[in-house]
């Protein structure tokens, strides 16, 4: 066969680019574009070729399928036949058809040439479908057609190509084209034939060049599992997850990996002898190990950024690691089609308005929304036809054939899968909440049980018993006025920082570390620094279980705290992020694992051993040192010099000196490496002696709750006195004015991070009138307060 004839039916990847979509489909055109443009940047892409749409149409013509397919589709459109029967009948026509001889010769010739490139008789390849509309921005649903792995030999490849062509008429693909108004017979299919990467002997996964839940553009999100990549894409495993901060990728000496979460990775797909692939259970070592090293994570992240730059759009990329040579490869890349389409101008928020109680199951939350309904539990595909509109779909995992019922669901809950699984991707596209990777939802949740699925409380999604009340708000981020007063955010969790990144705020005025210590770390710091002195056996067992991979148990605390703070710092970089050092009361510290033996029982913990007085105490210094190590790591090793630290509940200037000395001892010297240290102004002495505190700190942040409590003599948690607890009392306002005047005379700025301005826009107006420099707010009050502040500034 001469080259011209072969080129009609087969094109090598290196001869293709993005302008060849009409001939080889979006997926294969993208592969060609990568090979041409990115191999010179040392991005490895396995060699291969694509069959053309001309080859597909030759198959249709050879087997006289045009009229037969059209007739079957017409019957479906006229409701004379079901979608399932129509799809199966059309696919059977392809199965019975014969590959035209010249097309078969072209494919066989190209396959033999590919084998020659790899010095093999029969090279193992993947055969992947690429439709002329699939993976283009206007056709967002990928995965409608089939892929076949570990195809070896000419006959096996020809059979796989036929199956790929038939998959143009999967039930999902037919339904999608009907919905979008695409003419079925004007859509054609190309088959991408690509050398397999032996990731069955290593690992594989997907990466996105943005945060898939929030759309935050400055990170690369990587999922990884052992074996071939189908398990990650389909959601049959809970993969590792790594997050990398893009702006620091090329900074020398900086570690930009801001998150590493180990997935359970319960199975892996490998080559098999009697069939192309099979799933095996992973070993204990594999389940307990990360798939990628830090160096490999960085390499993939850099490649992701290069690919994104080339295409000038956020990307969805599949990667694989070769277990024989150890090299990483990019095997597919397509535009990300969910977050990249959302406008910057609007946000919709959800919040529960009643106490949900204990959750029934929990998993990864997808979609930042809430939905309620009756459970519809599906344990096998045969039950799909009976699904009820508006139900909460609960199942082990989903696949492309499930999309028609997923569109009708209020929410989706799966046992398996990660943030890049099929269920997660489709739920984002549909705009409905999903909770994936629960591991036990199908065992715990019951048919017809009324539940609420909430993905609005952080990175975890929760299923609660009964239908709960919740509220939604539409936030318009357009035409937000500029203010002279700096508007900042109060943030308690890394997930909230990502969720609210679009808000027009200049930094974080209060980042609390208590959530990370309480919910992520869970262990009292002294139970780590003095583990050999922990007396309670249950506590020792819990600590051993949580810290099993750390030779130095204190590193567990430092690493988890540092990464959580880094995510918050990344969300607002390069703006200032003020991290308050821990401010647990003794009763709260005691509730941490191993905490009771290290904490005194106090009658009034609110006014007891808290804040600054702990940091320099011999009874807690080594615990505070862990917080300091985490801050140093965030600023120096991870590069977030935008982090400022803030000292809470510091009672006197003499105590401030002791705190600053302990910080210095732990490598956090005020002024070195541009480190700023602020103080919480929440005790009247902070204001009455503001000039002395201003000599020791770089700024003040008003804690209005404690300041009101200590000014009015009212316990902030007292139900009986709640009506009297009012930050707008004249005495509180007078103290705030005094602080602003004294601080400004000393050349120090004053902000507020207490709840008062979030709860009362008129209090915010008072602060502006008093000359405050910054106001830090709860996220859901930002827009309302900004407009009131702008109005006040104009007046």
């Amino acid at each position: 066969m001469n080259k011209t004839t072969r080129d009609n039916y087969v094109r090598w990847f290196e001869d293709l680019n993005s302008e060849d979509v009409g001939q080889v489909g979006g997926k294969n055109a993208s592969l060609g574009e990568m090979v041409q443009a990115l191999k010179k940047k040392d991005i490895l892409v396995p060699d291969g070729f694509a069959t053309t749409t001309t080859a597909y149409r030759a198959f249709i013509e050879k087997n006289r399928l045009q009229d037969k397919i059209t007739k079957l589709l017409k019957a479906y459109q006229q409701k004379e036949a079901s979608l399932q029967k129509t799809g199966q009948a059309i696919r059977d026509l392809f199965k019975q058809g014969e590959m035209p001889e010249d097309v078969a010769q072209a494919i066989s010739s190209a396959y033999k040439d590919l084998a020659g490139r790899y010095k093999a008789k029969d090279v193992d390849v993947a055969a992947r479908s690429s439709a002329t509309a699939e993976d283009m921005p206007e056709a967002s649903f990928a995965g409608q057609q089939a892929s076949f792995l570990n195809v070896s030999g000419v006959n096996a490849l020809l059979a796989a190509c036929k199956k790929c062509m038939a998959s143009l008429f999967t039930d999902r693909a037919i339904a999608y084209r009907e919905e979008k108004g695409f003419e079925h017979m004007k859509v054609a299919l190309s088959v991408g034939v690509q050398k397999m990467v032996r990731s069955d002997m290593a690992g594989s996964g997907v990466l996105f060049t943005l945060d898939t839940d929030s759309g935050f553009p400055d990170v690369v999100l990587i999922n990884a599992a052992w074996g071939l990549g189908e398990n990650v894409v389909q959601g049959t495993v809970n993969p590792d997850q790594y997050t990398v901060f893009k702006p620091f990728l090329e900074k020398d000496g900086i570690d930009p990996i801001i998150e590493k979460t180990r997935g359970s990775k319960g199975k892996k797909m490998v080559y098999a002898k009697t069939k192309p692939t099979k799933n095996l259970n992973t070993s204990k070592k594999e389940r307990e190990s990360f798939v990628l090293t830090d160096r490999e994570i960085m390499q993939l992240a850099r490649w992701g950024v290069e690919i994104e730059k080339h295409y000038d759009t956020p990307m969805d990329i599949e990667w694989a690691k070769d277990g024989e040579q150890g090299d990483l490869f990019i095997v597919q890349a397509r535009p990300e089609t969910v977050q990249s389409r959302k406008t910057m101008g609007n946000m919709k928020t959800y919040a529960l308005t009643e106490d949900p109680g204990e959750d029934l199951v929990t998993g990864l939350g997808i979609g930042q929304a809430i939905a309620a309904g009756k459970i519809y539990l599906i344990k096998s595909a045969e039950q799909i036809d009976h699904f009820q509109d508006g139900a909460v779909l609960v199942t082990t995992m989903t696949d492309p054939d499930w999309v028609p019922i997923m569109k009708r669901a209020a929410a989706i809950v799966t046992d398996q899968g990660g943030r890049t699984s099929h269920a997660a991707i489709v739920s984002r596209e549909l705009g409905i909440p999903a909770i994936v990777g629960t591991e036990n939802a199908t065992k715990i949740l019951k048919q017809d049980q009324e539940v609420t699925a909430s993905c609005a409380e952080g990175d975890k999604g929760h299923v609660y018993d009964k239908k709960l009340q919740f509220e939604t708000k539409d936030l318009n981020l357009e035409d937000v006025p500029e203010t002279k007063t700096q508007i900042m955010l109060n943030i308690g969790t890394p997930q909230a920082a990502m969720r609210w990144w679009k808000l027009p705020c200049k930094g974080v005025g209060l980042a609390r570390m208590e959530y990370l210590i309480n919910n992520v770390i869970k262990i009292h710091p002294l139970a780590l620094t003095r583990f050999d002195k922990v007396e309670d056996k249950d506590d020792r067992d819990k600590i051993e279980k949580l810290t099993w991979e750390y030779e130095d148990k204190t590193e567990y605390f430092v690493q988890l705290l540092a990464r959580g703070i880094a995510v918050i710092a990344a969300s607002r970089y390069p703006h200032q992020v003020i991290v308050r050092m821990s401010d647990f009361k003794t009763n709260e510290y005691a509730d941490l694992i191993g905490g009771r033996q290290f904490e005194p029982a106090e009658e009034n913990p609110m006014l007891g051993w808290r804040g600054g007085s702990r940091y320099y105490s011999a009874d807690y210094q080594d615990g505070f040192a862990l917080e300091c190590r985490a801050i140093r790591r965030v600023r120096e090793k991870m590069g977030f010099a935008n982090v400022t630290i803030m000292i809470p509940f510091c009672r006197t200037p003499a105590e401030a000196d002791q705190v600053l000395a302990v910080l210095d001892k732990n490598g956090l010297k005020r002024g070195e490496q541009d480190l700023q240290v602020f103080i919480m102004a929440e005790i009247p002495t902070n204001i009455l002696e503001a000039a002395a505190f201003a000599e020791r700190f770089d700024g003040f942040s008003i804690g209005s709750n404690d300041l009101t409590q200590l000014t009015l003599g009212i316990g902030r948690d007292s139900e009986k006195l709640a009506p009297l607890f009012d930050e707008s009392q004249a005495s509180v306002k007078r103290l705030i004015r005094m602080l602003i005047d004294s601080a400004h005379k000393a050349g120090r700025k004053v902000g507020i991070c207490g709840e008062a301005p979030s709860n009362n826009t008129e209090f915010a107006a008072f602060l502006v009138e008093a000359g405050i420099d910054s106001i830090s707010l709860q996220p859901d009050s930002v827009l309302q307060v900004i407009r009131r502040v702008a109005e006040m500034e104009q007046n």
Side-chain angles (χ1 to χ4, degrees):
M1 174 176 286
N2 63 50
K3 184 178 185 300
T4 303
T5 303
R6 191 170 87 167
D7 285 353
N8 283 333
Y9 300 130
V10 167
R11 297 280 304 279
W12 288 96
F13 289 157
E14 61 258 33
D15 298 328
L16 297 171
N17 58 42
S18 56
E19 296 179 2
D20 292 309
V21 172
Q23 198 174 22
V24 296
K27 188 180 297 180
N28 289 330
S30 178
L31 274 170
E33 181 82 16
M34 280 201 300
V35 169
Q36 278 200 26
L38 299 173
K39 268 199 169 181
K40 58 191 175 188
K41 295 183 180 288
D42 295 324
I43 295 175
L44 303 183
V45 181
D47 284 343
F49 60 89
T51 66
T52 64
T53 54
T54 304
Y56 169 81
R57 298 197 189 284
F59 183 93
I60 296 290
E61 184 177 344
K62 160 80 174 174
N63 294 283
R64 299 178 181 177
L65 299 185
Q66 179 91 13
D67 292 342
K68 296 175 184 176
I69 293 172
T70 302
K71 185 178 178 182
L72 288 166
L73 288 169
K74 188 174 181 181
Y76 164 64
Q77 290 160 345
Q78 294 176 348
K79 298 186 171 24
E80 295 172 3
S82 70
L83 174 61
Q84 291 78 13
K85 286 185 179 179
T86 302
Q88 190 59 57
I90 296 173
R91 293 192 296 274
D92 286 343
L93 291 175
F94 279 87
K95 184 178 179 180
Q96 295 155 10
E98 292 182 5
M99 191 70 75
E101 188 176 343
D102 49 353
V103 174
Q105 283 183 7
I107 295 171
S108 300
S109 173
Y111 174 75
K112 289 173 182 174
D113 287 352
L114 181 62
R117 293 186 182 191
Y118 289 95
K119 297 180 174 57
K121 180 185 175 185
D122 288 327
V123 66
D124 51 334
V125 296
R128 295 188 176 93
S129 304
S130 180
T132 53
E134 189 192 10
D135 296 333
M136 293 297 97
E138 70 272 19
S140 64
F141 285 78
Q144 293 175 11
Q145 282 79 44
S147 294
F148 300 93
L149 304 180
N150 191 22
V151 178
S152 184
V154 170
N155 291 336
L157 176 58
L158 292 172
C161 288
K162 222 165 65 159
K163 290 176 185 176
C164 285
M165 291 177 179
S167 74
L168 192 59
F169 293 91
T170 61
D171 298 350
R172 183 190 181 195
I174 295 170
Y176 175 73
R177 291 195 294 271
E178 286 286 315
E179 179 187 332
K180 295 295 182 183
F182 295 161
E183 291 187 43
H184 294 281
M185 301 313 294
K186 287 189 176 179
V187 177
L189 189 125
S190 163
V191 181
V193 178
Q194 187 179 40
K195 170 70 175 76
M196 284 285 292
V197 176
R198 290 304 304 267
S199 57
D200 63 309
M201 301 166 65
S204 56
V206 296
L207 72 85
F208 287 83
T209 59
L210 46 55
D211 181 67
T212 52
D213 281 337
S214 68
F216 181 62
D218 287 344
V219 294
V220 174
L221 179 75
I222 303 172
N223 276 190
W226 299 112
L228 301 173
E230 294 300 292
N231 284 336
V232 176
V233 175
Q234 292 172 1
T236 58
V237 294
N238 297 334
D240 293 343
Q241 180 167 297
Y242 319 110
T243 306
V244 183
F245 189 55
K246 291 181 194 172
F248 290 173
L249 268 170
E250 301 308 324
K251 283 194 172 186
D252 291 337
I254 294 299
D255 174 12
I257 301 170
I258 58 176
E259 182 206 10
K260 283 178 73 174
T261 303
R262 184 183 292 98
S264 56
K265 307 181 295 291
K267 57 185 174 181
K268 62 179 179 179
M269 185 177 286
V270 300
Y271 282 14
K273 292 181 180 178
T274 58
K275 55 183 179 178
T277 62
K278 64 180 179 181
N279 268 314
L280 298 176
N281 291 331
T282 49
S283 67
K284 183 174 184 289
K285 182 179 179 182
E286 287 171 323
R287 291 192 297 274
E288 292 178 349
S289 301
F290 283 112
V291 173
L292 294 173
T293 64
D294 286 1
R295 183 190 63 79
E296 290 167 337
I297 293 167
M298 301 268 281
Q299 182 177 336
L300 285 174
R302 289 190 180 100
W303 285 0
V305 169
E306 286 294 337
I307 294 169
E308 181 181 55
K309 281 180 186 174
H310 178 77
Y311 287 95
D312 195 28
T313 188
M315 296 296 288
D316 168 358
I317 299 165
E318 294 183 27
W319 62 270
K321 180 180 177 181
D322 185 86
E324 292 179 326
Q325 304 297 325
D327 293 326
L328 291 168
F329 290 85
I330 300 298
V331 295
Q332 283 195 56
R334 60 181 73 88
E336 193 277 341
T337 55
V338 180
Q339 293 294 347
S340 57
R341 288 186 181 184
K342 292 184 178 179
T343 62
M344 282 289 291
N346 294 284
M347 285 181 71
K348 187 166 188 172
T349 67
Y350 293 75
L352 293 169
T353 55
E354 62 176 299
D355 183 0
E358 291 291 319
D359 59 31
L360 301 172
V361 297
T362 185
L364 292 173
I366 308 296
Q368 301 177 351
I370 300 174
K374 285 186 176 181
I375 294 288
Y376 196 88
L377 183 61
I378 294 183
K379 292 190 175 180
S380 69
E382 288 73 35
Q383 297 173 271
I384 287 180
D385 291 342
H386 304 292
F387 184 78
Q388 298 166 0
D389 288 358
V392 175
L393 171 61
V394 178
T395 188
T396 304
M397 55 172 277
T398 65
D399 64 39
D401 289 336
W402 291 49
V403 171
I405 68 163
M406 294 169 79
K407 290 180 179 179
R408 295 156 49 203
I412 300 166
V413 183
T414 67
D415 287 343
Q416 300 171 348
R419 293 198 181 280
T420 54
S421 64
H422 177 266
I425 291 170
V426 173
S427 70
R428 289 189 198 98
E429 292 171 343
L430 298 175
I432 61 176
I435 301 169
V436 301
T438 65
E439 298 188 348
N440 57 4
T442 56
K443 295 177 182 176
I444 292 177
L445 303 177
K446 307 300 180 187
Q447 195 76 279
D448 293 327
Q449 180 180 6
E450 289 192 337
V451 298
T452 299
S454 173
C455 298
E457 303 167 79
D459 65 332
K460 297 293 184 186
H462 306 272
V463 179
Y464 297 109
D465 193 23
K466 74 180 184 178
K467 291 183 177 180
L468 300 172
Q469 296 296 313
F470 62 92
E471 64 179 9
T472 63
K473 291 181 182 178
D474 291 306
L475 304 181
N476 183 358
L477 303 181
E478 296 177 346
D479 301 321
V480 178
E482 289 287 330
T483 61
K484 295 175 184 174
T485 308
Q486 185 176 352
I487 302 299
M488 304 176 83
L489 272 179
N490 291 340
I491 289 293
T493 73
Q495 296 76 33
M498 286 294 175
R499 179 183 180 190
W500 297 103
W501 73 271
K502 289 182 183 178
L503 286 177
C505 298
K506 300 281 179 66
V508 173
L510 173 63
R512 306 177 187 91
M513 62 171 64
E514 285 80 16
Y515 170 87
L516 291 166
I517 296 172
N518 200 35
N519 295 280
V520 179
I521 296 168
K522 301 179 182 179
I523 303 171
H524 193 288
L526 296 183
L528 296 168
T529 62
R530 309 176 192 178
F531 178 69
D532 57 336
K533 291 184 171 60
V534 175
E535 297 163 358
D536 187 277
K537 184 180 183 304
D538 285 345
D539 285 346
R540 290 182 67 88
D541 290 345
K542 289 175 184 176
I543 294 168
E544 290 281 18
K545 186 175 181 181
L546 286 170
T547 63
W548 64 267
E549 66 181 297
Y550 294 87
E551 189 173 335
D552 175 2
K553 294 189 185 306
T554 65
E555 178 62 17
Y556 165 83
F557 186 101
V558 174
Q559 187 176 87
L560 292 182
L561 183 58
R563 285 191 172 139
I565 293 170
V567 172
I568 298 173
S571 73
R572 290 288 156 185
Y573 186 83
H575 295 297
Q576 184 181 46
V577 171
I578 303 173
V579 177
R580 185 179 69 187
M581 306 306 278
S582 65
D583 192 25
F584 282 126
K585 287 71 170 175
T586 50
N587 59 319
E588 295 166 337
Y589 266 119
D591 287 338
L592 295 171
I593 297 170
R596 297 221 171 268
Q597 77 179 76
F598 297 110
E599 297 296 331
E602 295 184 312
E603 287 293 329
N604 188 357
M606 187 73 75
L607 298 180
W609 191 39
R610 60 176 285 204
S613 61
R614 293 183 69 97
Y615 305 159
Y616 58 83
S617 168
D619 291 331
Y620 189 71
Q621 263 192 36
D622 46 330
F624 183 63
L626 302 188
E627 297 178 33
C628 295
R629 275 171 56 190
I631 294 292
R632 283 193 68 187
R633 184 168 300 179
V634 170
R635 285 179 48 84
E636 298 169 19
K637 186 178 178 184
M638 303 178 82
F640 292 102
N642 59 324
V643 167
T644 291
I645 60 176
M646 182 158 64
I647 304 302
F649 228 79
C650 185
R651 293 169 171 88
T652 67
E655 183 169 75
D657 290 335
Q658 290 179 281
V659 171
L660 291 168
V662 171
L663 287 173
D664 191 356
K665 178 183 174 183
N666 284 287
L668 293 172
K669 186 174 180 63
R670 177 183 163 224
E672 285 190 1
Q673 299 187 50
D674 297 322
L675 174 65
Q676 291 190 318
V677 183
F678 280 35
I679 182 173
M680 287 278 286
E682 52 193 342
I683 307 171
T685 53
N686 299 143
I687 296 166
L688 297 172
E689 297 192 61
F693 282 108
E695 293 175 1
R696 293 161 170 82
F697 294 99
D698 299 289
F700 296 84
S701 184
I702 299 164
S704 56
N705 288 346
D706 272 338
L707 182 61
T708 302
Q709 168 180 251
L710 297 173
T711 302
L712 300 181
I714 297 173
R716 55 194 275 187
D717 297 327
S718 171
E719 292 183 20
K720 289 281 188 186
L721 299 178
L724 298 176
F725 192 93
D726 182 6
E727 299 94 333
S728 297
Q729 284 287 335
S731 54
V732 179
K733 286 185 171 181
R734 184 178 176 188
L735 284 171
I736 290 173
R737 284 186 189 276
M738 286 174 59
L739 174 64
I740 293 171
D741 290 344
S742 298
H744 285 177
K745 284 177 184 175
R748 297 287 183 255
K749 290 187 175 182
V750 179
I752 186 169
C753 60
E755 293 182 6
S758 295
N759 296 335
N760 182 356
T761 57
E762 291 312 304
F763 192 85
F766 151 72
L767 293 169
V768 173
E769 186 267 329
I772 202 154
D773 298 291
S774 65
I775 301 175
S776 194
L777 300 162
Q778 300 301 110
D780 58 1
S781 66
V782 164
L783 297 181
Q784 183 183 8
V785 174
I786 283 179
R787 290 189 169 93
R788 183 69 183 97
V789 167
E791 183 182 288
M792 189 68 189
E793 289 177 349
Q794 287 175 354
N795 293 336

